[in-house]
Amino acid sequence: MNAPNQSGWKPGTPVSGDFGLDSGPQTVTGNRALLLEEPLIFELGGTDTTGVDLPEPAADAANRLGGFERTETIGLAGLSEPETVRHYTRLSRQNYGIDLGFFPLGSCTMKHNPRLNEKVARMPGFADVHPLQPVETVRGALEVINELAFWLIDLTGMHSVAMSPKAGAHGELCGILSIRAALEARGDAREVVLVPESAHGTNPATAAFAGYRVEDIPTNEDGRVDLEALKARLGPDVAAVMITNPNTCGLFERDLKAISDAVHEVGGFVYCDGANFNAIVGRVRPGDLGVDAMHINLHKTFSTPHGGGGPGSGPVVLSEALSPFAPLPYTARTADGVVHLVEEEQADEFAREHFGGPLHHFGRMTAFHGQMGMFTRALTYMLSHGADGLKQVAEDAVLNANYLLRSLEDVLDAPFAKAGPCMHEALFSDDGFEADLSTMDLAKALIDEGFHPMTMYFPLVVHGAMLVEPTETESKASLDQFITALRSVAARAKAGDESMKAAPYYAPRRRLNETAAARKPKLVWTEE
C-alpha cells in the first residue's frame, strides 16, 4: 500500500506531535502561500465607494419605486469587478467539490457529472424555456420529458411515472399520497406505515407528514429486513411498507418479492426508496419485485450530483394499481404523434377520450412540470450510455464498493462483511478504536489527507458508522489513494494517536465547536 499507484501518488507518513500550519513563520497577511486568508466581503472595501459609474438621475425623472425607496444605506462594500471575481474565486478554492477529488458520501451517489450533459442542458430551447410559455412553443421540451418518462418506466418495469416531484423526499410524498388516494378510493382508512430500521431517514418523516403512524421493523443480523417480524406485524391497519433497496447497510434486500407478496395479501402497498438505484440500474427492475411506487433521484443516478445548479428531481414510477392516482400534470402522446401536457382543466376529458374513462389524480405536487435542467441532463446520460452502458454503471459501482470493503476490512470493522457482497456502498464501524477516539476524529484526520469524509454515524443500526460509496466513476488509482489514506488514519485511531483529536491541521479552518455552531450560529455580519 506504500508503493506509488498508477497515478504516481505516494502517501507520506503521518506526523505526530506539534505540527500544523502555524509551525512556520507568521506572515503579515495571514496567508500561507496559496492557502489564502479570505476576509468577508463586507471587510474588503468601503461603503463609500462603488464598482460602477452610473449617471445621476434627472431631476424630473419619474419615481417608479411605488413607495419602496431605500430609507438607509445598504451597508455593502463597493467593489470593482476584479475584486469581486477574485473574492469568490478565492472562496471557491477553499471548498471541496467533485471536480477536485473523490466524494465518498454513502447513499448520496456523488459521481462525476459528464460535461456533455451540461452542454445539452445549456442549449437554447432548454436553458431558456419558461414554464408560462404557450404549450405550442415548447413541444421539444415536452418530447424530452415524455422520452425520459419512457426510459424510467422501461428501466424499472413499472406502469407509469409522475415527473414533477423536485427531489427524493418530495417523490416519497408523491408516492405516499398516491397510496393514500388509492386507499381512500376504495373506502379503506388505514393508519400505519411500516419502516425498516435499514431504510433512509426521510421515509418515516414522509409517512408522518402524510398523516400516518410510523412503526419500525427490526433489521436481522445480516443487515436486512427481518421478514418474519414484518409478516407478524402486517394487518388491515397497514397502508404501506416503505423499504430502501439496496438498503443503507449497502445490502440488497433479497426478500423483497416475499415482502411485497405479504403486503399485497393484506391489502397494503409497497413503497421503495430508489435513492440507491445506481447500484441496480439495468440489472434489477423493481416492478418485477412487486414494488408499487418508487422515486428515482435523477440528480444521483443519472448525473448532476447534489448541488448541481438548482433543485433536484425525483420522478416517481407507479404500478398499474397506483397509476390512476398519479398527480398532475403529465405528458401523453396521442395517436397523431403529438405529445400533450395534460393539466387539471382538461384531465378528465383527455382521459375519457384516450384512456376510456376518468383517472383519479390526487392533485398537483408542485407548480409547473418539473426541473427541465435535470430532465435534459438525465436523458443525455441515458442516451450516451445506452441500455448496456447503464447496466455497466451498476456493475462498476458495485465492483468499486466491494474493492473498498475487501481492501479495508482488516483495519476497519465491517459488521456485514460476511453477509455477502455489498452493493453500492461499504459500511464500517468504530469498533477497535481507542476509547477516547471517535469516528469524528477519523473523519477530521481524513480531511488532512485531502479527502472529503464519508457519511458518518449513519445508519443508526451500526455504532460509529462510516458509510462509503465510491460510485462507478472512480478509477482504481483514485480508490487506491483513498484506501491508503483511510488505512493510515484507521491505524492511528486504533493506536490511540491523540493528535487526531485536534485535526484537521491543514484545512482552511481548524476544528469548530460543532455544538456551538449548531445551537448558536452567527448568521449575520455586524460591524465592529
Side-chain angles (χ1 to χ4, degrees):
M1 279 296 182
N2 284 324
N5 64 17
Q6 297 173 22
S7 68
W9 177 86
K10 185 178 185 302
T13 303
V15 186
S16 60
D18 184 20
F19 65 98
L21 291 177
D22 295 330
S23 59
Q26 296 296 314
T27 60
V28 173
T29 59
N31 298 334
R32 300 291 188 273
L34 295 180
L35 186 61
L36 304 177
E37 182 65 23
E38 184 66 12
L40 298 175
I41 196 166
F42 304 101
E43 301 166 330
L44 280 177
T47 57
D48 57 342
T49 61
T50 178
V52 296
D53 290 324
L54 298 174
E56 289 294 326
D60 58 349
N63 185 334
R64 292 182 290 177
L65 296 177
F68 288 98
E69 298 89 346
R70 186 181 297 129
T71 58
E72 56 188 57
T73 60
I74 195 170
L76 286 177
L79 303 180
S80 66
E81 181 174 309
E83 288 176 314
T84 306
V85 171
R86 287 169 185 165
H87 171 69
Y88 288 107
T89 301
R90 290 193 292 257
L91 284 181
S92 72
R93 292 174 56 187
Q94 296 187 12
N95 195 25
Y96 196 89
I98 194 68
D99 289 341
L100 289 175
F102 178 33
F103 230 121
L105 291 179
S107 280
C108 279
T109 319
M110 294 288 287
K111 60 188 182 183
H112 172 70
N113 183 21
R115 292 303 182 263
L116 173 63
N117 304 0
E118 292 300 312
K119 182 178 180 179
V120 173
R122 286 162 171 75
M123 289 172 61
F126 294 139
D128 57 2
V129 68
H130 194 284
L132 292 179
Q133 284 181 235
V135 172
E136 292 74 17
T137 69
V138 291
R139 294 294 181 191
L142 296 181
E143 287 278 353
V144 167
I145 297 174
N146 205 61
E147 178 76 7
L148 176 59
F150 274 91
W151 272 85
L152 295 176
I153 291 169
D154 250 8
L155 288 168
T156 58
M158 301 290 270
H159 185 264
S160 66
V161 59
M163 297 295 292
S164 59
K166 294 294 183 65
H170 202 215
E172 287 175 21
L173 182 61
C174 174
I176 293 299
L177 291 180
S178 297
I179 289 171
R180 176 181 282 284
L183 290 171
E184 289 176 349
R186 70 187 193 202
D188 198 344
R190 300 185 178 219
E191 301 175 347
V192 177
V193 169
L194 304 181
V195 181
E197 292 177 342
S198 57
H200 281 160
T202 51
N203 292 179
T206 296
F209 184 81
Y212 287 103
R213 188 171 76 251
V214 178
E215 295 185 17
D216 293 337
I217 298 296
T219 298
N220 61 27
E221 61 184 11
D222 285 342
R224 297 178 173 89
V225 175
D226 188 323
L227 179 59
E228 296 310 314
L230 175 67
K231 287 182 174 180
R233 177 55 191 87
L234 290 175
D237 61 339
V238 174
V241 171
M242 297 185 77
I243 187 167
T244 302
N245 193 29
N247 67 30
T248 47
C249 296
L251 303 171
F252 187 78
E253 293 286 356
R254 54 195 174 208
D255 291 327
L256 183 53
K257 185 63 170 68
I259 290 171
S260 298
D261 291 343
V263 173
H264 292 155
E265 189 174 338
V266 299
F269 293 92
V270 177
Y271 185 92
C272 182
D273 185 313
N276 299 335
F277 190 49
N278 197 68
I280 60 173
V281 61
R283 295 283 299 181
V284 177
R285 301 197 316 170
D288 297 337
L289 302 178
V291 170
D292 291 296
M294 183 180 86
H295 77 266
I296 303 170
N297 298 73
L298 297 185
H299 55 282
K300 289 185 179 185
T301 307
F302 302 110
S303 85
T304 316
H306 294 259
S313 186
V316 178
V317 285
L318 300 167
S319 66
E320 187 171 1
L322 287 184
S323 290
F325 306 97
L328 294 166
Y330 63 89
T331 59
R333 189 186 301 277
T334 51
D336 57 5
V338 176
V339 175
H340 298 265
L341 183 69
V342 181
E343 291 276 17
E344 186 173 358
E345 294 80 8
Q346 68 267 32
D348 287 344
E349 181 181 347
F350 190 90
R352 287 191 187 93
E353 181 179 351
H354 298 283
F355 303 132
L359 303 180
H360 306 281
H361 305 285
F362 68 77
R364 301 186 72 92
M365 282 301 297
T366 180
F368 306 123
H369 328 305
Q371 222 284 40
M372 199 65 216
M374 294 295 178
F375 294 159
T376 51
R377 290 181 181 98
L379 185 57
T380 304
Y381 185 88
M382 293 172 177
L383 295 175
S384 300
H385 282 76
D388 55 338
L390 291 176
K391 178 182 176 184
Q392 187 179 344
V393 163
E395 292 171 346
D396 289 350
V398 171
L399 177 64
N400 281 353
N402 281 277
Y403 180 62
L404 281 179
L405 177 64
R406 301 309 169 189
S407 298
L408 293 164
E409 62 180 336
D410 62 321
V411 293
L412 282 171
D413 176 61
F416 302 118
K418 293 182 172 58
C422 65
M423 296 299 290
H424 56 302
E425 57 196 357
L427 178 60
F428 304 98
S429 81
D430 63 354
D431 188 24
F433 288 11
E434 280 297 302
D436 62 340
L437 290 174
S438 67
T439 294
M440 180 69 76
D441 297 323
L442 179 143
K444 298 298 186 182
L446 200 57
I447 292 174
D448 280 334
E449 298 288 347
F451 290 99
H452 192 288
M454 67 291 284
T455 297
M456 303 178 300
Y457 299 115
F458 182 77
L460 300 178
V461 294
V462 170
H463 187 274
M466 292 168 277
L467 195 57
V468 186
E469 181 176 1
T471 80
E472 74 282 357
T473 59
E474 296 301 326
S475 66
K476 183 176 181 297
S478 65
L479 293 182
D480 285 340
Q481 279 189 347
F482 179 74
I483 289 167
T484 304
L486 191 48
R487 289 182 67 88
S488 173
V489 293
R492 291 168 62 193
K494 295 174 79 171
D497 185 348
E498 289 292 319
S499 70
M500 296 177 69
K501 297 188 73 63
Y505 294 90
Y506 303 132
R509 288 291 179 270
R510 299 293 295 273
R511 190 183 299 203
L512 301 175
N513 181 331
E514 298 195 20
T515 301
R519 295 180 179 176
K520 300 177 181 179
K522 294 183 179 180
L523 304 178
V524 178
W525 177 80
T526 54
E527 190 172 4
E528 295 293 333

